[in-house]
Amino acid sequence: MSAAVASRLTAVCRQFQRVLTVSSHTQTQYATRAFSTFHSCQQSRMYDSWCFRSPMNNRAVHTSCVRKGLEEFFDLPENWGEQTVKSGAPWTAKQLRVKSNEDLHKLWYVFLKEKNMLLTLEQEAKRQRLPMPSPERLKKVERSMKRLDTVVEEREDSLRLLQTGQERGRPGEWRRNVFGKTFWYRFREHPIPWYLNSRYKRRRFFEPSHVAPYTRLSLEKYLRSKIRKEKREKRNQKSLAAMFPKKTALASDH
Amino acid sequence: MRLTALLSMAAKAAFPRDYRYGTNRPWTIAAQRLNPPGKKRRKVFVEPIANEDWHVLRGDTVEILSGKDKGKQGKVAQVFRRRSWVILEGLNTHYRYIGRSGDYRGTYIASEAPLLLKDVTLIDPTDRKPTDIEWRYTEEGERVRVSVRTGRIIPKPVYQRRDGIIPQQWKDGPKDTSPEDTLQKTYTPSLKTLEEEVMEKMNIQEDRRPRKSYWY
């Protein structure tokens, strides 16, 4: 069973390799032949040199070929060997927002399969040291997936805010670390409570007494740098205004 | 989260504060040759123009006021707002060799130099003379460029996509969704999460309850 799958995979890889490297009118012949052999259930006897000849495979009767949908890792056969493949615009968040949750769920898997196909193509092109046809397709799919994720997050956020009033999905709180800095500590999920977790008890979420004076000093430093930046900005704007005076009466320039 | 933040920091190209941005994109070899890591150049002062006051757009026809090609009209190919630059197609050119290797001196091509914004003006489309431009509001409330001299509105240039696709002439491929299907509304707001809705549709019964876990 697994030998048949492996032989099928190697055969498909070989066909693909052949299609990418051969670039003349013979390429179309190869493609059609590969296509026909791929889709017809051939005996494993064809791939003699590739698969192991185990005693089990020497039966006269062979079971049907194992396809397992591996053709979805590859592009449509008419695009094999092309230098550029036409592709449309990516989905925008506005277009995705009108779709139902079920549609979005299905679309996510469509995107995922397309992305897997393009990544396979990219890797094979790298292996063959050839340029990948139309790499912008990968960017389009990734952007569409990110936008879909954003839309789903928006829906979850709105539902959570409505039902619980919580702004964040993941619990957390403001804590002070050992250096005296206040930061948003994001909670992690644990199987045991905190008073039984020896590693958590060793973490210090308070500043020791000898660190306390430095908190004030670092705050002063931060304020000073902020004021300096603002003053520098104002000074720069003033000098730019002096360098480029605004012409009140628009001088005629022709 | 911290690992991804670190990786994104590494991926983001870091430039020094006084990096001089030129016509080449900073990651190209030409830009790296012009701005090697240790080089310090005199600072360029750019007139501060707010984004909404910028009146020259890509695709506009403008006239040059000073320089080699004074008085000529040309189409804007590229705009660099940070340096108040405008590059016109085929005007203000200097000639150089490109693609030289070994003994071959390369192809002799004309390359355009950028023009400052104050050296170009937009052209009134009706009488094809240069004018000053102001941003004004129409009766409908739309913000448009109006020529000061004649009072006529200058329309925005047609936006041409960089990949050369014209949306009106596009034919859908086998993997493209048709416009009707894309815009069809299927969303009905409900108080269910995506997971709950999908489980309902697919008749998935989840009777397991999650084990008690502690968040801290």
Side-chain angles (χ1 to χ4, degrees):
Chain A
M1 190 73 163
S2 60
V5 170
S7 64
R8 176 78 37 209
L9 181 57
T10 47
V12 164
C13 277
R14 241 185 334 144
Q15 287 154 18
F16 199 63
Q17 185 180 345
R18 216 185 295 144
V19 157
L20 265 183
T21 50
V22 175
S23 58
S24 59
H25 95 272
T26 53
Q27 171 252 314
T28 42
Q29 290 173 0
Y30 274 130
T32 47
R33 197 159 60 123
F35 190 70
S36 57
T37 53
F38 181 70
H39 272 269
S40 66
C41 290
Q42 289 287 318
Q43 311 294 333
S44 59
R45 212 177 298 137
M46 242 182 99
Y47 313 115
D48 248 340
S49 51
W50 289 91
C51 69
F52 281 129
R53 266 298 194 179
S54 66
M56 285 198 336
N57 266 351
N58 275 339
R59 290 181 298 174
V61 176
H62 285 261
T63 52
S64 63
C65 69
V66 183
R67 229 177 279 152
K68 292 271 197 226
L70 282 174
E71 69 265 13
E72 300 191 53
F73 276 110
F74 303 97
D75 210 349
L76 299 170
E78 51 259 21
N79 291 336
W80 287 358
E82 303 282 332
Q83 288 309 311
T84 46
V85 177
K86 216 171 63 138
S87 55
W91 283 77
T92 60
K94 199 169 159 186
Q95 290 159 358
L96 290 165
R97 269 185 207 115
V98 293
K99 297 293 172 196
S100 67
N101 283 334
E102 192 199 345
D103 280 346
L104 291 180
H105 183 71
K106 288 178 184 168
L107 199 55
W108 177 266
Y109 286 99
V110 170
F111 285 147
L112 189 66
K113 294 213 297 212
E114 182 69 15
K115 187 166 152 184
N116 284 340
M117 184 273 283
L118 291 169
L119 287 172
T120 322
L121 184 60
E122 191 184 23
Q123 190 55 38
E124 185 58 28
K126 278 189 194 165
R127 205 169 80 98
Q128 298 294 334
R129 312 222 187 141
L130 288 169
M132 178 189 173
S134 309
E136 71 271 3
R137 290 182 286 172
L138 197 52
K139 276 213 299 208
K140 286 179 187 174
V141 166
E142 278 172 354
R143 280 182 195 161
S144 305
M145 284 173 95
K146 190 88 183 60
R147 287 164 191 170
L148 204 158
D149 194 35
T150 315
V151 167
V152 169
E153 257 186 49
E154 276 174 12
R155 288 188 189 171
E156 275 181 8
D157 274 349
S158 54
L159 195 64
R160 191 183 52 243
L161 276 170
L162 196 66
Q163 293 188 321
T164 57
Q166 297 289 330
E167 282 151 11
R168 289 170 230 255
R170 183 168 166 176
E173 65 185 7
W174 289 103
R175 284 193 188 173
R176 223 182 189 123
N177 67 4
V178 183
F179 307 111
K181 297 269 182 302
T182 317
F183 67 105
W184 179 259
Y185 173 72
R186 285 155 84 234
F187 287 174
R188 284 170 59 196
E189 201 172 9
H190 302 264
I192 45 171
W194 70 270
Y195 46 84
L196 298 175
N197 195 340
S198 52
R199 200 147 32 105
Y200 180 79
K201 283 196 280 192
R202 266 183 277 138
R203 290 190 73 174
R204 292 172 289 168
F205 290 111
F206 57 90
E207 56 176 11
S209 49
H210 62 270
V211 173
Y214 292 96
T215 326
R216 189 200 165 112
L217 293 173
S218 67
L219 176 70
E220 286 171 5
K221 184 177 174 183
Y222 165 73
L223 288 172
R224 241 179 270 135
S225 82
K226 196 161 80 121
I227 289 168
R228 269 209 293 259
K229 204 155 98 173
E230 282 165 15
K231 283 205 169 139
R232 189 168 56 231
E233 267 309 307
K234 269 208 194 130
R235 222 181 315 129
N236 283 346
Q237 290 298 323
K238 211 164 142 186
S239 61
L240 272 176
M243 242 186 281
F244 299 105
K246 273 202 173 17
K247 297 190 272 254
T248 43
L250 290 163
S252 69
D253 32 24
H254 50 263
Chain B
M1 199 282 270
R2 284 208 198 104
L3 181 66
T4 47
L6 198 73
L7 288 172
S8 65
M9 264 169 60
K12 191 171 67 172
F15 297 105
R17 200 175 33 90
D18 44 4
Y19 184 84
R20 185 184 267 217
Y21 289 90
T23 41
N24 301 299
R25 302 285 159 116
W27 54 83
T28 46
I29 311 167
Q32 278 160 23
R33 216 182 306 135
L34 284 171
N35 283 343
K39 192 161 182 189
K40 284 202 193 298
R41 291 204 62 177
R42 219 173 289 169
K43 188 176 152 133
V44 281
F45 293 99
V46 170
E47 184 178 350
I49 305 180
N51 269 345
E52 47 271 9
D53 292 334
W54 191 270
H55 53 267
V56 179
L57 305 171
R58 193 176 61 175
D60 269 338
T61 330
V62 295
E63 177 163 325
I64 306 178
L65 302 173
S66 70
K68 206 166 51 155
D69 294 331
K70 178 172 174 170
K72 293 197 190 155
Q73 298 184 355
K75 198 157 103 143
V76 173
Q78 244 186 323
V79 157
F80 294 81
R81 287 200 188 184
R82 288 297 173 95
R83 288 199 66 169
S84 299
W85 272 346
V86 151
I87 297 191
L88 308 185
E89 273 171 19
L91 289 178
N92 198 26
T93 51
H94 54 271
Y95 298 90
R96 62 184 173 115
Y97 287 99
I98 190 171
R100 69 168 277 233
S101 61
D103 278 337
Y104 177 51
R105 61 178 170 210
T107 340
Y108 195 59
I109 59 154
S111 63
E112 302 92 355
L115 285 154
L116 281 173
L117 188 68
K118 60 177 178 56
D119 296 333
V120 299
T121 34
L122 282 170
I123 286 172
D124 202 327
T126 41
D127 57 359
R128 257 133 9 115
K129 294 267 171 52
T131 53
D132 271 333
I133 295 294
E134 256 187 17
W135 281 101
R136 288 197 204 143
Y137 290 91
T138 55
E139 308 231 317
E140 289 90 30
E142 201 193 326
R143 193 159 180 258
V144 285
R145 300 177 291 180
V146 168
S147 93
V148 169
R149 187 165 52 92
T150 46
R152 284 191 208 97
I153 297 172
I154 297 182
K156 258 197 188 167
V158 175
Y159 176 68
Q160 283 161 5
R161 292 169 59 104
R162 278 189 202 274
D163 44 19
I165 296 173
I166 303 166
Q168 285 79 22
Q169 296 169 11
W170 175 259
K171 291 266 170 15
D172 277 337
K175 292 193 179 170
D176 295 326
T177 328
S178 67
E180 301 82 37
D181 287 334
T182 318
L183 297 170
Q184 189 193 9
K185 180 171 174 204
T186 50
Y187 178 54
T188 44
S190 71
L191 287 175
K192 286 193 191 289
T193 56
L194 184 138
E195 288 85 10
E196 284 171 8
E197 271 196 30
V198 165
M199 273 168 68
E200 243 187 62
K201 289 267 157 51
M202 293 172 74
N203 294 328
I204 299 173
Q205 303 288 345
E206 184 65 63
D207 300 318
R208 303 177 295 178
R209 289 282 167 268
R211 184 195 283 264
K212 180 159 172 62
S213 63
Y214 301 84
W215 284 85
Y216 51 84

